[in-house]
Amino acid sequence: MSHDHSSCCGGHGDHHGHADHHTPAEGHADLSGPPEAPILVEVTRGGMVESVHRGRACIVDSDGRVLAQWGDIQAPVYPRSAIKAIQAIPLVETGALDAYELGDQELALACSSHHGEIRHTRIAEAWIKRIGLTVKDYECGAHLPTDTETAHEMIRHGETPTAFHNNCSGKHAGFLTTALHKGEPTKGYVRFDHPVQQRILGVMEQMTGQDLSQAPWGVDGCAIPTIGIPLGAIAYAMARIGDPKDLPDSRAEAVARIRRAWRSHPHLIAGKDSFDTGMMQAAGGLVLVKALLHIRRCR
């Protein structure tokens, strides 16, 4: 099945990005790097280093310039939940969000890996009801809330978790909403060859400046495809969310709305005791954070 690139046009070159800019994979820095990821963190206990943690990282601006890097940033990685804001672009760009009179709270939830607190599940449940579907239409599965207090409360009352408690329920609600708006089947919306996922693949190609037609892919924890993309190219895509100056007008507008929702509802992006929410609240909206995994503080 071919990629849907119809929304990637608008006088800004082809779907690989603006012709006057370079992605990190195209140059601007020596990206060869050592074969082994550098040590980024040392954990000490007492006077001894207890463990070391290797990783790769980079800082890229919206022109595709690599400002700093640690390790090989050309090798593909699975970004998984870190790119939910990019996966939400079609929800806005297709007109689906407005067609169902949804707002910033739903859009923030679409970008989130929420903890399953009641404030999260209420929005997800109301959203699915608004578009005329039920929890049975979700294909992400169910799990206990990652918020410990909420999970313990459910266990005490003998309540069974549903897909609304899945940390990806907002993202999946966005997929279902877009499919309905475009007249596409809702069943099987998580498949790689479904129009919903192919549309997202086209968006990812344009935002990262990469040809992903032969990229490795696997199945994420919530059942959707996750695509292997060079780390530097992912950073470039995120920089363009922060500064969409070279995006087509419709995409730049969608990105601006996502950025506003993301900034306005930090608690919906994750939840209490999370790094994402805490960092955004502490920074007063000056930074947008979306972690791959929840980082929780010990009590």
Side-chain angles (χ1 to χ4, degrees), residues 19-273:
D20 295 331
H21 295 81
H22 301 279
T23 67
E26 292 173 336
H28 288 301
D30 177 9
L31 306 183
S32 56
E36 187 175 34
I39 294 173
L40 299 183
V41 177
E42 289 184 342
V43 178
T44 61
R45 190 180 298 273
M48 188 183 81
V49 175
E50 183 178 45
S51 61
V52 297
H53 301 267
R54 298 183 181 273
R56 290 175 279 156
C58 62
I59 302 171
V60 177
D61 68 14
S62 59
D63 290 319
R65 287 188 294 263
V66 179
L67 306 181
Q69 71 175 91
W70 297 263
D72 180 6
I73 65 171
Q74 283 187 315
V77 298
Y78 285 139
R80 299 184 64 184
S81 292
I83 58 166
K84 284 182 177 176
I86 298 174
Q87 294 168 323
I89 288 175
L91 174 62
V92 182
E93 202 170 51
T94 62
L97 188 78
D98 292 335
Y100 287 95
E101 299 181 341
L102 301 166
D104 281 358
Q105 289 193 50
E106 289 85 3
L107 188 53
L109 202 71
C111 300
S112 77
S113 294
H114 65 75
H115 287 187
E117 299 167 36
I118 193 166
R119 72 180 79 196
H120 303 126
T121 55
R122 279 178 174 171
I123 294 173
E125 188 171 1
W127 183 349
I128 289 299
K129 183 178 180 180
R130 174 177 286 273
I131 64 176
L133 299 180
T134 72
V135 70
K136 294 180 180 179
D137 292 290
Y138 272 117
E139 295 181 356
C140 58
H143 61 66
L144 276 168
T146 52
D147 175 59
T148 304
E149 292 179 9
T150 304
H152 288 177
E153 187 72 13
M154 290 182 65
I155 293 170
R156 280 195 295 269
H157 289 86
E159 298 176 12
T160 301
T162 72
F164 293 134
H165 296 96
N166 188 303
N167 71 91
C168 296
S169 65
K171 176 178 71 176
H172 282 251
F175 295 159
L176 287 164
T177 303
T178 305
L180 285 172
H181 179 64
K182 297 290 287 184
E184 298 159 354
T186 56
K187 187 174 178 59
Y189 71 88
V190 298
R191 295 197 315 264
F192 181 84
D193 62 352
H194 191 281
V196 164
Q197 301 304 329
Q198 287 293 300
R199 188 177 297 112
I200 290 170
L201 182 60
V203 170
M204 287 297 302
E205 286 192 320
Q206 192 271 339
M207 291 294 288
T208 62
Q210 300 287 302
D211 177 3
L212 301 176
S213 60
Q214 302 300 315
W217 67 280
V219 178
D220 208 341
C222 67
I224 70 164
T226 181
I227 314 298
I229 306 171
L231 183 64
I234 297 168
Y236 174 51
M238 301 310 292
R240 298 174 90 187
I241 287 182
D243 181 11
K245 62 184 180 182
D246 69 336
L247 297 181
D249 290 345
S250 61
R251 183 149 298 168
E253 180 182 350
V255 164
R257 293 180 67 178
I258 289 169
R259 201 169 57 237
R260 182 186 69 195
W262 192 352
R263 177 183 296 115
S264 300
H265 299 283
H267 203 109
L268 296 182
I269 299 299
K272 62 178 183 287
D273 297 329

Side-chain angles (χ1 to χ4, degrees), residues 25 164 275 292:
F164 293 134
F275 177 82
L292 173 60

